[in-house]
Amino acid sequence: KTNRSADPDLSPRGYAQSRLLGAFLGNTTKAAFLGLEKIDELWVSPHKRTLLTIAPTAAALGLAPLVQTDLFEAGGIYDANEAYDSFVAKGGMTRDEMLAAHPTYVLPDDVTDAGWYLGPGRESDEACRARAKRVLARVRGGARALDAPKTIVAVVHYDFIA
């Protein structure tokens, strides 16, 4: 895991894929192919690369992405030693950094001057699964409370499965 980045940027391929995603979802005919006739909200992980991934889609749809600090990739944001057996948590982008890079995004209060990731280092697989189940319960609860259908697109990189 030498040269691991705790909160990496998108690769050139990732930038190209994000532009394609935005063009696809911004085209109502193409989006309807996936059953996405109308997208009501964009949810995004606070990881730098997911914030970048959703940008073309947000622009195409005219929506402000909602940053969800519990909807992040497995493991969290951390640095590791060469042996990959010791981990130090990193806070992730700060509130000021996120707002400067993405002024239209809606940030929750737990994105602070210290960042947003409060984990102990590298999040365990068990902790990730428990967090994913909490997010799923929150989504299901919100869905039960709806009076009308609502379509939410969530962007998360890597592994986030309940």
Side-chain angles (χ1 to χ4, degrees):
K1 302 290 182 175
T2 304
N3 297 322
R4 180 187 187 283
S5 175
D7 197 11
D9 198 343
L10 280 175
S11 67
R13 181 178 183 178
Y15 276 107
Q17 290 172 334
S18 72
R19 288 189 299 272
L20 289 170
L21 178 65
F24 186 88
L25 293 178
N27 179 313
T28 55
T29 302
K30 290 181 179 179
F33 177 76
L34 295 178
L36 301 172
E37 286 80 16
K38 180 180 181 292
I39 297 171
D40 300 292
E41 291 182 5
L42 299 175
W43 289 11
V44 64
S45 155
H47 275 260
K48 184 188 305 181
R49 64 185 176 183
T50 55
L51 298 170
L52 293 166
T53 298
I54 200 70
T57 300
L61 297 174
L63 293 174
L66 306 174
V67 175
Q68 307 286 325
T69 56
D70 57 353
L71 189 69
F72 63 88
E73 294 75 354
I77 293 186
Y78 59 91
D79 279 338
N81 65 355
E82 186 69 29
Y84 205 69
D85 60 6
S86 178
F87 310 100
V88 176
K90 298 295 179 183
M93 291 179 76
T94 67
R95 184 172 203 82
D96 287 345
E97 290 169 338
M98 270 193 214
L99 287 174
H102 308 286
T104 62
Y105 290 24
V106 179
L107 308 184
D109 291 340
D110 55 350
V111 176
T112 69
D113 293 340
W116 61 270
Y117 182 64
L118 304 174
R122 182 178 180 274
E123 178 188 48
S124 70
D125 290 344
E126 296 79 23
C128 177
R129 297 297 173 265
R131 179 173 50 82
K133 288 176 182 177
R134 289 190 302 272
V135 170
L136 182 57
R138 178 171 56 94
V139 169
R140 284 181 174 156
R144 281 192 289 273
L146 291 174
D147 294 329
K150 184 182 206 177
T151 300
I152 298 170
V153 171
V155 176
V156 181
H157 282 259
Y158 188 54
D159 185 16
F160 185 76
I161 301 169

